[in-house]
Amino acid sequence: MNQLKNKIAFITGASSGIGKACAEEFAKEGASLILSARRRNQLSEFSESLKKKYGIEVLSFKLDVRNLDEVNKSVSSLPDVWKKIDILVNNAGLAKGYDKIYEGKTSDWEEMIDTNVKGLLFVTRQILPLMVERMEGHIINIGSTAGHEVYPNGNVYCATKFAVNALTQGIRIDTIDKNIRVTTIDPGMVLTEFSNVRFSGNTERANKVYEGVKPLSAEDIASAVLFCVTRPPHVNISEIILTPTQQASVAYVHRKK
Ligand code: NDP
Ligand code: 8X3
């Protein structure tokens, strides 16, 4: 309890799944939270529930990470006390479509690249200088096993997560003299809204992804994130790869009949 008291954490994509679970884990530990996502209603209901349950301070606002202007204004207009951000969780992200690359929709590609790569960069560009100035901070990027291996029809989504992996290393190298910790958390199959989003609300198709498998939960990922941010200040966990026990690699999954 209270391992994150007096710490401020900024989480993107906190309206569902892994981002939401990270917010809850951090709240249990007494952190002050800045929560953002596009679905304002879901976010404000969740923020209110965290305030009541844990007696913490929460700022929440609508933020589409693809919109550079919106990102810049959201961070620059934070009250000064909230600019002392200790932890940034770059979690907002999505997969769209599951097509052979020669049949893929260019609009899906743009949405994934704009969210998973450019969105992460836009947010980091605003928050990292505040950390550099204070010579203190921790960036957690939510990557994926898809950032280590490519699977059939994963093409562009995998490319965005390979990019997240490269950017994690780039941020770590460029801030090596600034006392900043940089971590990538790379999960395999996690049961969230992810597959529903990927298959545009086709629940039957989404459920097939997890057939015969006990997937990870968003809470499993959040507890790994919490572990990283609660290590002593001189300890940087560079990368954690987590998969369900039934998943050996992105495409090699043991499904119980
Ligand atoms: P969810 O769909 O449950 O959550 C995604 C979150 O991202 C939502 O809160 C959504 O909020 C937010 N989001 C999406 N687009 C934007 C945007 N343009 N601007 C701001 N927020 C956005 O899926 P997960 O929790 O599973 O996904 C979280 C991260 O985990 C992603 O980066 C994903 O790639 C990664 N991941 C997921 C895995 C899985 O199997 N589930 C495995 C490995 C990695 P809103 O719609 O309200 O904006
Ligand atoms: C999400 C996991 O395997 O669907 O990053 O790409 S996977």
Side-chain angles (χ1 to χ4, degrees), residues 2-240:
N2 283 338
Q3 291 187 87
L4 297 177
K5 200 164 170 47
N6 301 322
K7 300 279 183 201
I8 299 178
F10 188 119
I11 304 175
T12 65
S15 58
S16 74
I18 295 170
K20 188 174 179 185
C22 287
E24 182 104 25
E25 279 305 302
F26 289 3
K28 282 182 202 162
E29 295 298 335
S32 301
L33 299 175
I34 306 173
L35 305 182
S36 65
R38 292 166 304 175
R39 285 170 291 176
R40 196 197 308 259
N41 290 347
Q42 247 148 296
L43 201 59
S44 37
E45 262 174 44
F46 176 52
S47 302
E48 286 312 309
S49 77
L50 289 180
K51 283 189 210 169
K52 276 204 200 112
K53 208 162 152 189
Y54 301 106
I56 56 158
E57 290 195 72
V58 184
L59 267 191
S60 71
F61 45 81
K62 180 193 160 294
L63 176 63
D64 185 333
V65 296
R66 294 170 298 177
N67 184 328
L68 178 60
D69 231 35
E70 214 176 287
V71 170
N72 291 354
K73 280 188 192 136
S74 304
V75 178
S76 63
S77 63
L78 285 173
D80 278 347
V81 283
W82 283 95
K83 283 190 175 148
K84 197 193 94 23
I85 295 162
D86 299 286
I87 303 161
L88 164 61
V89 184
N90 276 318
N91 162 77
L94 79 184
K96 261 286 153 120
Y98 192 76
D99 302 304
K100 297 269 181 221
I101 200 154
Y102 52 84
E103 291 170 343
K105 290 192 192 67
T106 51
S107 57
D108 286 346
W109 298 352
E110 283 185 313
E111 192 172 348
M112 289 186 277
I113 293 166
D114 287 351
T115 310
N116 302 357
V117 183
K118 289 168 67 182
L120 179 147
L121 279 169
F122 292 165
V123 174
T124 304
R125 181 63 185 87
Q126 281 300 302
I127 294 177
L128 186 54
L130 302 172
M131 293 179 170
V132 166
E133 200 182 308
R134 292 172 38 238
M135 295 281 280
E136 194 176 12
H138 195 159
I139 299 208
I140 304 271
N141 291 333
I142 306 297
S144 170
T145 47
H148 297 268
E149 294 172 87
V150 180
Y151 54 87
N153 305 318
N155 45 68
V156 176
Y157 177 68
C158 294
T160 66
K161 291 300 183 178
F162 270 70
V164 171
N165 201 348
L167 291 170
T168 304
Q169 292 177 41
I171 299 165
R172 192 179 306 115
I173 290 166
D174 287 350
T175 58
I176 197 66
D177 56 344
K178 305 294 178 205
N179 194 37
I180 309 276
R181 297 194 279 178
V182 190
T183 301
T184 181
I185 303 288
D186 297 347
M189 298 156 88
V190 190
L191 187 59
T192 61
E193 293 179 14
F194 179 85
S195 291
N196 266 314
V197 171
R198 170 170 242 169
F199 296 109
S200 303
N202 180 343
T203 319
E204 207 181 314
R205 179 64 190 88
N207 290 342
K208 268 197 166 4
V209 174
Y210 312 105
E211 226 165 54
V213 178
K214 182 171 170 56
L216 298 170
S217 67
E219 292 70 29
D220 292 328
I221 312 308
S223 66
V225 171
L226 182 68
F227 177 78
C228 295
V229 301
T230 52
R231 292 313 86 206
H234 68 288
V235 177
N236 182 74
I237 311 235
S238 305
E239 174 181 289
I240 294 185

